[in-house]
């Protein structure tokens, strides 16, 4: 049987720097665990624009469609700020998400105990936190028609439309229930059924889907209350399923509970492929961090943890994903930190490569 395929798009800024550490981890899995991937690399974002005049070529798009999983670093940077909208680096990422039809965005908010002090909340509220927000990514108010700025009488009016079909709500809900089945079997669906018809439909469809998942305890919450509960008592949640707009806000809010941008992975999943796994794009939540690019300061953990998600959701390697997450946790517990995880008075930060070294050493120690 051939090895699973992984397309790596390192992108811009710190993307290639953090991805170099992921490549070392991938090499470790081949060498020490007999887990080999057919890895290919290509350009996206500003790097693709510089070479091809477009942030994503058709050839790269085709490779992404064919791959078992895509791992992306980051795109963008000040050099590209003045480019026409149609060729901006972000358009490459948006094209990937759109054409791969990645409708479920998974944003874990997991608080490593060693970093609990970095949270904006009290340590006891976040210590041990492990929640997963599933955000519907391809529909809702960011895409609904009509949209635009129109003349109405003597003034302009800005219009966006929240629109969801049953099928769109249902496929995201199934992804969320499947995840809940692999976790603590609790799902909280968030909408505003009190004031929005799309919210009423959302609640009805999620309730209907729940009949196929009798083991999962389903609850419903208005999204504004959800925001309050996330900062009041976040550990009450396991999986949260919500729409594109609420998910955009709630997932950023939950992310900050855990401290640093340099630690946050994500996955965007689509429909199942022939191999039974969903189409998938894994990427750190952070951007290209132009302020620290080329200085060896970037924390590679978010990108490494994104690869751990790929092991879990695309390659059926849940135990190896656990191993990698535990290695990152051990390094943090040992006090090894990149600069973004340090406070005044802490010791000397390690470099991007040294963080990679430490994670590899922790992986070795796990054998
Ligand atoms: P950013 O996430 O790049 O950086 C925000 C801050 O966090 C910076 O101070 C940066 O140094 C720090 N930071 C981010 N990742 C880090 C890491 N791994 N280790 C240590 N520190 C880290 O966001 P920004 O500054 O708003 O945007 C910079 C560029 O990235 C822009 O061009 C933006 O459009 C793009 N961007 C891309 C993505 C993506 O590729 N998915 C996401 C967000 C922003």
């Amino acid at each position: 049987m051939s090895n699973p395929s992984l397309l790596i798009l390192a992108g811009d800024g710190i993307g290639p720097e953090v991805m170099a550490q992921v490549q070392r981890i991938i090499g470790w899995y081949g060498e020490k665990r007999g887990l080999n991937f057919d890895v290919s690399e290509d350009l996206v974002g500003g790097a693709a624009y510089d070479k091809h005049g477009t942030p994503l070529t058709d050839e790269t798009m085709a490779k992404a469609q064919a791959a078992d999983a895509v791992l992306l670093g980051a795109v963008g940077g000040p050099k590209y700020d003045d480019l026409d909208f149609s060729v901006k680096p972000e358009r490459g990422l948006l094209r990937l998400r759109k054409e791969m039809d990645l409708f479920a965005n998974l944003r874990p908010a997991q608080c490593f105990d060693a970093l609990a002090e970095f949270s904006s909340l009290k340590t006891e509220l976040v210590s041990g936190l492990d929640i997963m927000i599933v955000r519907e990514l391809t529909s809702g108010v960011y895409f609904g028609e009509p949209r635009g700025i129109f003349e109405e009488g003597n003034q302009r009016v800005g219009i966006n439309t929240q629109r969801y079909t049953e099928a769109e709500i249902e496929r995201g809900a199934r992804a969320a229930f499947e995840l809940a089945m692999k976790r603590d079997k609790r799902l909280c669906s968030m909408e505003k059924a009190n004031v929005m018809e799309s919210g009423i439909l959302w609640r009805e469809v999620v309730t209907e889907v729940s009949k196929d998942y009798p083991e999962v305890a389903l609850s419903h919450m208005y999204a504004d209350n959800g925001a309050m509960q996330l900062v009041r008592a976040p550990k009450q949640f396991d999986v949260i399923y919500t729409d594109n707009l609420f998910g955009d806000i709630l997932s950023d809010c939950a992310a900050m509970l855990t401290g640093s941008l340099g630690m946050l992975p994500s996955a965007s999943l689509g429909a199942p492929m022939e191999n039974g796994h969903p189409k998938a794009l894994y990427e750190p939540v952070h951007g290209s961090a132009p302020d620290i690019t080329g200085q060896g300061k970037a924390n590679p953990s978010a990108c490494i943890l994104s690869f751990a998600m790929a092991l879990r959701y695309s390659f059926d390697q849940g135990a190896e994903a656990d191993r990698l997450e535990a290695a990152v946790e051990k390094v943090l517990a040992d006090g090894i930190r990149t600069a973004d995880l340090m406070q005044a008075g802490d010791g000397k930060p390690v470099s991007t490569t040294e963080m990679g070294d430490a994670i590899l050493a922790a992986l070795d120690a796990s054998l």
Side-chain angles (χ1 to χ4, degrees), residues 83-336:
L83 286 182
D84 186 69
F85 183 74
S86 64
V87 288
K88 273 196 185 298
E90 291 75 11
R91 302 304 300 172
L93 180 53
L94 292 175
R95 181 175 176 199
L96 281 165
R97 288 180 183 157
K98 182 161 186 282
E99 293 191 20
M100 290 170 77
D101 200 12
L102 304 172
F103 54 81
N105 182 219
L106 277 50
R107 290 272 302 263
Q110 194 177 4
C111 187
F112 294 100
D113 276 350
L115 298 181
E117 70 200 78
F118 280 87
S119 173
S120 48
L121 295 191
K122 293 193 200 94
T123 306
E124 65 265 27
L125 289 182
V126 292
S127 169
L129 178 76
D130 180 9
I131 60 185
M132 176 74 84
I133 298 190
V134 180
R135 165 189 172 196
E136 197 291 324
L137 199 59
T138 50
S139 184
V141 74
Y142 292 164
F143 296 94
E145 299 280 348
R147 63 182 299 163
I149 299 174
F150 304 94
E151 298 288 336
E152 200 174 273
N154 58 0
Q155 63 171 347
R156 292 180 304 156
V157 51
I159 295 179
N160 290 92
T161 303
Q162 166 87 332
R163 181 180 190 279
Y164 269 109
T165 66
E166 287 179 282
E168 288 165 344
I169 300 168
E170 182 185 334
R171 64 183 188 171
R174 288 198 182 279
F177 275 105
E178 292 291 337
L179 270 171
M181 286 296 288
K182 291 187 186 140
R183 294 173 48 100
D184 200 33
K185 299 192 171 64
R186 291 181 292 125
L187 178 67
C188 183
S189 170
M190 292 187 187
E191 26 58 15
K192 294 269 296 174
N194 49 342
V195 286
M196 296 169 75
E197 284 75 9
S198 58
I200 295 172
L201 184 68
W202 186 278
R203 194 174 278 221
E204 283 176 13
V205 172
V206 173
T207 304
E208 192 60 33
V209 173
S210 75
K211 291 178 185 157
D212 291 339
Y213 298 89
E215 286 176 57
V216 176
L218 171 66
S219 58
H220 302 276
M221 199 177 270
Y222 298 139
D224 50 342
N225 184 27
M228 282 198 282
Q229 295 301 327
L230 268 176
V231 289
R232 191 188 72 81
K235 283 192 261 184
Q236 69 184 285
F237 298 112
D238 177 25
V239 178
I240 292 171
Y241 176 46
T242 190
D243 75 15
N244 204 343
L245 172 62
F246 297 142
D248 194 0
I249 296 164
L250 293 172
S251 62
D252 271 6
C253 172
M256 273 301 102
L257 303 177
T258 68
S260 169
L261 210 46
M263 295 301 303
L264 293 167
S266 78
S268 300
L269 307 181
M273 299 183 287
E274 267 173 32
N275 65 10
H277 296 298
K279 282 219 163 141
L281 173 76
Y282 299 89
E283 56 180 321
V285 168
H286 64 70
S288 58
D291 53 335
I292 57 165
T293 296
Q295 300 171 31
K297 287 184 182 166
N299 183 353
S301 303
C303 203
I304 289 171
L305 292 169
S306 300
F307 175 64
M309 291 185 85
L311 287 172
R312 178 168 282 117
Y313 298 118
S314 286
F315 302 127
D316 272 338
Q317 296 290 341
E320 296 300 340
D322 289 345
R323 180 195 298 279
L324 184 50
E325 288 165 358
V328 174
E329 179 148 31
K330 175 165 188 312
V331 167
L332 297 174
D334 288 347
I336 299 169

Side-chain angles (χ1 to χ4, degrees), residues 57-80:
T57 64
D58 292 345
E59 291 73 28
T60 312
M61 188 65 238
K63 278 192 210 169
Q65 293 283 21
D68 290 318
V70 180
L71 186 60
L72 186 135
V75 295
K79 182 179 166 193
Y80 308 103

